[in-house]
Amino acid sequence: MNFELIRALETLLLPPSGLITLGIIGLLFGFTRSGRQLLGISMLLLYLMSTTYVSAWMNSRLTYQYPAVDPALLKSENAPQELVVLGGGYYGESVEYGNTAIGPFFAERIRYAAWLAKQTELPIIVSSGKADAPAAVRILKEEYGIENVTQESNSWTTDDNARYLNQLIKEKEIGKIGVITHAWHMPRAMWSLESHNIDATALPMGLLASMPAFDDYNSWLPSMAALVRSRNVMHEFFGLIWYQLRGMGETLVDIFSFSAEDTTAETDWQNPIKQD
């Protein structure tokens, strides 16, 4: 499917646009009971997805699968040989920098990649598009002082990341990589890499330190940050399902077998959990 068409469909279907569209349809048919119900449901969903508690709960359904990793484990015998940071969008030419500016998600991933590289002395591969990959490499070298950086600059999608990385890994004779991306994106990233037979360790960032309290009124106040988080989660859920329906895997990722125990206040969210 055309990349621009995919982005257009996302804009129309994902919150807030999708819910606003449903609300407008309900408003147009407000003279009917079904129309009023549709308007009410769309407004209720828009409110809930804008709250800290609901957005965090939705986010946790993806992020609990891949906990944070202790950098010391990346020096073990079965550790990755190189770090791979996946692209997260760019803004084009920036006025203040006078150069290509990467998006905020990509910038967060780049910062974590630089931190891990300094902790482990592992080289970095940037996997993204023709515009933002070179910009990310420049930032890593000039602003973070990371010299051992290479790039894969042909990727538009997560599937592209996996496909082109597969070629690069074979050329460089790399046995195992450590993948850096946001925790909410990690399930789709790992699924794609495994579908291309890439041995990878998940190195998620941007995890929630804790679940907001259910009985705290602040958890139910709407905010744009919470709505953005909910949108990201919805994007990943639909992305996972779409990838798997396309035949990239035999079964759906086990994203729905989720227990409430995974988000209890007693869970030590910030403590890195050792991964095999």
Side-chain angles (χ1 to χ4, degrees), residues 138-166:
R138 172 176 51 80
I139 291 170
L140 282 166
K141 290 183 175 181
E142 296 178 4
E143 299 180 23
Y144 289 104
I146 308 297
E147 293 298 328
N148 198 349
V149 184
T150 56
Q151 63 178 304
E152 176 283 300
S153 58
N154 296 307
S155 298
W156 284 93
T157 66
T158 305
D159 183 35
D160 287 344
N161 289 132
R163 183 169 65 255
Y164 290 116
L165 279 171
N166 194 25

Side-chain angles (χ1 to χ4, degrees), residues 51-110:
T51 63
T52 302
Y53 185 86
V54 172
S55 65
W57 180 81
M58 291 174 61
N59 190 279
S60 66
R61 294 179 72 96
L62 289 172
T63 59
Y64 83 97
Q65 301 178 67
Y66 297 102
V69 175
D70 186 342
L73 296 176
L74 301 181
K75 299 179 181 180
S76 63
E77 196 170 305
N78 192 36
Q81 295 170 264
E82 296 206 23
L83 303 174
V84 174
V85 55
L86 302 185
Y90 79 108
Y91 283 155
E93 299 304 308
S94 73
V95 176
E96 65 272 24
Y97 289 109
N99 211 324
T100 302
I102 59 177
F105 291 145
F106 203 1
E108 291 175 356
R109 297 173 191 179
I110 288 297

Side-chain angles (χ1 to χ4, degrees), residues 11-274:
T11 302
L12 289 172
L13 297 177
L14 294 178
S17 301
L19 295 177
I20 292 174
T21 301
L22 284 179
I24 292 174
I25 295 173
L27 188 62
L28 292 174
F29 290 91
F31 57 89
T32 67
R33 182 179 180 183
S34 297
R36 292 191 295 273
Q37 289 176 338
L38 185 61
L39 177 61
I41 290 172
S42 63
M43 294 298 99
L44 177 61
L45 289 177
L46 184 59
Y47 160 71
L48 289 174
M49 289 187 180
S50 300
T51 63
T52 302
Y53 185 86
V54 172
S55 65
W57 180 81
M58 291 174 61
N59 190 279
S60 66
R61 294 179 72 96
L62 289 172
T63 59
Y64 83 97
Q65 301 178 67
Y66 297 102
V69 175
D70 186 342
L73 296 176
L74 301 181
K75 299 179 181 180
S76 63
E77 196 170 305
N78 192 36
Q81 295 170 264
E82 296 206 23
L83 303 174
V84 174
V85 55
L86 302 185
Y90 79 108
Y91 283 155
E93 299 304 308
S94 73
V95 176
E96 65 272 24
Y97 289 109
N99 211 324
T100 302
I102 59 177
F105 291 145
F106 203 1
E108 291 175 356
R109 297 173 191 179
I110 288 297
R111 182 188 178 193
Y112 184 54
W115 183 80
L116 275 183
K118 291 181 178 180
Q119 296 286 322
T120 63
E121 298 183 352
L122 290 172
I124 296 176
I125 299 174
V126 175
S127 177
S128 195
K130 296 185 182 298
D132 46 340
V137 170
R138 172 176 51 80
I139 291 170
L140 282 166
K141 290 183 175 181
E142 296 178 4
E143 299 180 23
Y144 289 104
I146 308 297
E147 293 298 328
N148 198 349
V149 184
T150 56
Q151 63 178 304
E152 176 283 300
S153 58
N154 296 307
S155 298
W156 284 93
T157 66
T158 305
D159 183 35
D160 287 344
N161 289 132
R163 183 169 65 255
Y164 290 116
L165 279 171
N166 194 25
Q167 299 173 9
L168 183 59
I169 288 170
K170 289 178 180 177
E171 292 173 4
K172 298 184 70 172
E173 298 182 348
I174 301 171
K176 189 172 189 176
I177 61 172
V179 182
I180 297 170
T181 189
H182 279 78
W184 39 261
H185 180 232
M186 190 60 77
R188 186 156 59 104
M190 291 297 288
W191 180 269
S192 299
L193 293 167
E194 290 169 3
S195 297
H196 288 272
N197 300 313
I198 297 175
D199 188 7
T201 295
L203 305 175
M205 47 77 54
L207 294 99
L208 297 175
S210 62
M211 274 292 294
F214 182 85
D215 56 355
D216 183 356
Y217 78 93
N218 288 303
S219 300
W220 297 98
L221 295 178
S223 71
M224 184 57 68
L227 183 58
V228 170
R229 184 186 297 132
S230 296
R231 186 189 190 282
N232 291 335
V233 173
M234 294 290 291
H235 175 273
E236 291 307 313
F237 276 138
F238 287 131
L240 277 168
I241 294 172
W242 171 247
Y243 272 28
Q244 292 146 3
L245 290 178
R246 284 171 50 197
M248 291 180 60
E250 295 179 359
T251 58
L252 289 175
V253 161
D254 191 18
I255 56 177
F256 298 107
S257 61
F258 180 78
S259 170
E261 296 177 357
D262 294 304
T263 56
T264 56
E266 290 76 19
T267 304
D268 192 359
W269 288 64
Q270 292 180 308
N271 184 32
I273 300 176
K274 296 183 179 181

